[in-house]
């Protein structure tokens, strides 16, 4: 399979695809129309030498994916809030009309909404990171501490902590998959993967071809998170201190390093079909059987619209066929 360089994620009733700095969000509105918004996101670090440094680029990529993911998710959700806004619109207009203060201009209103959106997004990303660290890193550590009264081997305790972390993570993923709204997001997640697999296999991007493609992909964010969990086990097996405060502090300090190493593996996996790389990619692909579902044709159409907004798949497929 040839590396295309595009990636994406599922959003509410839609798919986001990103190709370098350009990204597009395609959403199936309640009236069944597909709306596509294209924009650019240059990332947090503009210096290319710094942002392309091994390990560090993984940390930047992870944070940027959270920011962009929240931004595109908010955009997709806005289409399903319009009806409620229309209902309350007349009431707001009445309040503005009765107010003594003059109504803000359209440009002022947009700037205010943009500031509020950025503040909300930043706060949400920060809270998400804190909660993820608390649930998947701190909680497993303290549970393993409880077992220190029964287990004296530090190696066994480190392994136990890793198993607890994996159990919590996989349990969380499996639990939310039972929610109806998440099931649909997982179906769009499948559509995203199938579209990328379709063109990377050198096939024309059509509904029929996408339907035949795999919904599993080695560069998936789900695989990245699982690799983070697995690599953390290796790190904490060999990095040991006796003080409990230092033990917890090390787990927090090493999170960016673990994320960076995990990113390097996912990056390698997306470019290589080596036997060992494929073997180590298997756990992530197995987990994707939970986080992706087979999409219907209408979802595939949304995925195709998102790809076509940021990527010239025809030229890409033509190049693959010429080199075959």
């Amino acid at each position: 399979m040839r590396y295309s360089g595009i990636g994406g994620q599922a959003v509410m009733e839609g798919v986001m695809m990103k190709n370098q700095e350009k990204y597009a969000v395609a959403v199936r509105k309640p009236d069944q129309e597909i709306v596509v918004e294209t924009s650019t996101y240059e990332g947090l670090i503009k210096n290319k030498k710094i942002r392309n440094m091994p390990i560090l680029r993984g940390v930047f990529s992870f944070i940027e994916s959270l920011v962009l993911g929240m931004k595109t998710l908010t955009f997709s959700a806005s289409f399903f809030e319009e009806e409620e806004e229309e209902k309350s619109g007349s009431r707001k207009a009445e309040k503005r009309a009765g107010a003594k203060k003059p109504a803000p201009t359209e440009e002022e209103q947009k700037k205010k909404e943009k500031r509020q959106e950025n503040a909300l997004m930043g706060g949400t990303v920060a809270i998400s990171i804190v909660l993820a660290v608390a649930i998947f890193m701190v909680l497993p550590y303290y549970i393993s501490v409880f077992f220190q009264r029964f287990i004296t081997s530090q190696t066994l305790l480190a392994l136990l902590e890793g198993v607890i972390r994996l159990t919590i993570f996989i349990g969380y993923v499996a639990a939310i998959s039972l929610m109806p709204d998440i099931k649909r997001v997982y179906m769009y997640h499948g559509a995203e993967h199938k579209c990328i697999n379709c063109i990377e296999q050198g096939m024309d991007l059509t509904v029929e071809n996408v339907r035949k493609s795999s919904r599993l992909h080695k560069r998936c964010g789900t695989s990245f998170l699982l690799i983070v969990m697995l690599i953390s086990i290796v790190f904490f097996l060999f990095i040991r201190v006796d003080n409990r405060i230092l033990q917890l502090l090390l787990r927090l300090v090493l999170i960016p390093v673990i994320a960076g190493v995990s990113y390097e593996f996912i990056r390698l996996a997306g470019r290589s079909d080596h036997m060992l790389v494929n073997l180590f990619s298997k756990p992530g692909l197995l987990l994707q059987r939970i986080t992706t579902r087979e999409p219907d044709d209408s979802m595939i159409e949304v995925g195709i619209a998102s790809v076509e907004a940021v990527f010239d798949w025809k030229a890409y497929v033509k190049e693959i066929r010429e080199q075959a």
Side-chain angles (χ1 to χ4, degrees):
M1 182 183 292
R2 181 179 169 132
Y3 176 70
S4 64
I6 65 170
Q9 72 168 54
V11 295
M12 187 176 292
E13 295 299 323
V15 173
M16 182 274 286
M17 288 289 185
K18 187 173 184 292
N19 180 26
Q20 296 180 356
E21 287 82 25
K22 190 176 181 181
Y23 72 90
V25 191
V27 178
R28 176 79 69 176
K29 293 170 61 178
D31 62 5
Q32 299 307 305
E33 176 192 358
I34 299 177
V35 61
V36 181
E37 180 182 78
T38 305
S39 188
T40 57
Y41 181 67
E42 296 180 356
L44 302 174
I45 307 297
K46 303 299 185 292
N47 188 307
K48 291 186 177 181
K49 288 185 178 180
I50 296 177
R51 68 174 291 108
N52 288 328
M53 290 178 64
I55 309 298
L56 279 180
R57 60 190 173 194
V59 179
F60 299 144
S61 178
F62 176 64
I63 297 173
E64 289 167 1
S65 67
L66 286 177
V67 174
L68 186 58
M70 196 62 62
K71 181 182 179 69
T72 54
L73 187 60
T74 302
F75 170 77
S76 66
S78 67
F79 292 100
F80 303 92
E81 299 170 354
E82 288 180 352
E83 291 184 8
E84 184 61 31
E85 290 177 356
E86 287 174 1
K87 291 178 182 178
S88 62
S90 58
R91 293 193 295 271
K92 290 181 180 179
E94 289 174 3
K95 289 181 180 179
R96 286 197 298 267
K100 294 180 181 180
K101 187 178 179 180
T105 64
E106 184 178 348
E107 184 177 350
E108 290 173 338
Q109 185 64 25
K110 285 183 178 179
K111 287 182 179 179
K112 181 181 178 181
E113 290 176 355
K114 185 68 175 177
R115 288 196 298 269
Q116 291 174 341
E117 180 185 332
N118 289 339
L120 179 62
M121 195 178 306
T124 303
V125 170
I127 292 171
S128 300
I129 292 174
V130 170
L131 286 175
V133 170
I135 295 171
F136 300 119
M137 298 301 289
V138 178
L139 179 60
Y141 169 72
Y142 277 110
I143 294 176
S144 70
V145 167
F146 172 78
F147 287 94
Q148 286 185 5
R149 65 186 71 179
F150 312 110
I151 302 172
T152 57
S153 170
Q154 293 300 311
T155 299
L156 285 178
L157 283 170
L159 287 172
L160 177 62
E161 180 187 346
V163 170
I164 293 170
R165 183 175 294 113
L166 281 171
T167 302
I168 293 174
F169 175 65
I170 296 173
Y172 168 79
V173 170
I176 65 172
S177 71
L178 302 176
M179 301 168 61
D181 288 342
I182 298 298
K183 283 182 180 179
R184 290 192 62 81
V185 172
Y186 283 177
M187 290 171 76
Y188 277 104
H189 191 193
E192 173 223 329
H193 284 189
K194 288 168 83 75
C195 285
I196 296 175
N197 279 325
C198 177
I199 58 176
E200 289 187 340
Q201 293 286 358
M203 297 189 294
D204 288 344
L205 192 62
T206 64
V207 172
E208 182 180 356
N209 286 340
V210 171
R211 196 188 305 121
K212 293 185 294 186
S213 300
S214 173
R215 74 176 198 265
L216 311 179
H217 199 285
K218 290 191 292 184
R219 294 200 311 273
C220 176
T222 302
S223 295
F224 168 77
L225 293 174
L226 184 61
I227 291 297
V228 167
M229 303 296 165
L230 294 172
I231 289 181
S232 69
I233 296 175
V234 177
F235 267 69
F236 302 144
L237 271 175
F238 295 99
I239 301 176
R240 300 177 185 175
V241 291
D242 294 329
N243 187 285
R244 287 186 181 178
I245 295 177
L246 286 178
Q247 287 176 351
L248 181 58
L249 185 61
L250 271 175
R251 277 152 178 76
L252 300 178
V253 170
L254 288 174
I255 288 174
V257 180
I258 294 169
V261 173
S262 302
Y263 174 84
E264 294 302 322
F265 174 78
I266 292 296
R267 192 169 184 268
L268 173 65
R271 299 169 183 268
S272 172
D273 279 323
H274 190 277
M275 182 179 63
L276 283 177
V277 173
N278 289 339
L279 178 64
F280 287 120
S281 297
K282 284 290 184 184
L285 295 175
L286 288 173
L287 187 59
Q288 287 177 44
R289 294 189 178 278
I290 299 176
T291 62
T292 64
R293 300 287 177 89
E294 286 296 331
D296 58 34
D297 287 356
S298 67
M299 295 174 174
I300 291 173
E301 289 171 356
V302 174
I304 290 173
S306 186
V307 172
E308 291 182 331
V310 295
F311 189 70
D312 185 359
W313 66 264
K314 292 181 180 178
Y316 174 81
V317 168
K318 181 181 178 182
E319 185 178 345
I320 291 179
R321 291 171 179 171
E322 289 176 348
Q323 294 179 358

